[in-house]
């Protein structure tokens, strides 16, 4: 987990990741399942205490949906909850 205004063990890499961008966080998860697991049984997402400023514009949503479905055809994307 990397947060924009948090201290880092690698300040150079941290600053390079955030500088000049509107990014506020990065989450990276790496590991290995103990037994074979279908990706359709895996859930990932984020929960926020406050609603986002609003959904992305419809054109952006269509582009995101198209690109993500090429990578992960079984994905269920919900930007409105």
């Amino acid at each position: 987990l990397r947060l924009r205004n948090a201290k880092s063990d690698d300040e150079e890499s941290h600053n390079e990741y955030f500088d000049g961008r509107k990014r506020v966080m990065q989450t990276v998860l790496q590991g290995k399942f103990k037994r074979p697991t279908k990706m359709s049984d895996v859930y990932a997402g984020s929960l926020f205490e406050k609603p986002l400023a609003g959904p992305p514009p419809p054109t952006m949503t269509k582009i995101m949906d198209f690109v993500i479905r090429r990578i992960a055809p079984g994905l269920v994307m919900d930007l409105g909850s």
Side-chain angles (χ1 to χ4, degrees):
L1 181 61
R2 188 188 292 204
L3 302 170
R4 178 183 283 277
N5 297 320
K7 291 184 180 180
S8 172
D9 293 339
D10 185 351
E11 288 294 327
E12 185 178 338
S13 172
H14 184 83
N15 293 335
E16 185 179 302
Y17 181 79
F18 288 107
D19 284 351
R21 298 182 176 96
K22 293 183 179 181
R23 298 172 177 167
V24 294
M25 66 176 279
Q26 176 190 34
T27 304
V28 177
L29 180 66
Q30 182 177 347
K32 188 174 182 179
F33 291 104
K34 291 183 176 183
R35 56 185 175 273
T37 303
K38 295 187 294 183
M39 289 309 293
S40 60
D41 292 337
V42 177
Y43 293 87
S46 299
L47 296 174
F48 301 95
E49 287 188 18
K50 297 179 182 177
L52 299 175
T59 304
M60 180 60 74
T61 302
K62 287 180 184 179
I63 292 169
M64 288 169 38
D65 189 51
F66 175 78
V67 170
I68 292 170
R69 287 193 188 285
R70 297 288 299 233
I71 298 166
L75 178 77
V76 176
M77 184 169 70
D78 180 3
L79 300 174
S81 296

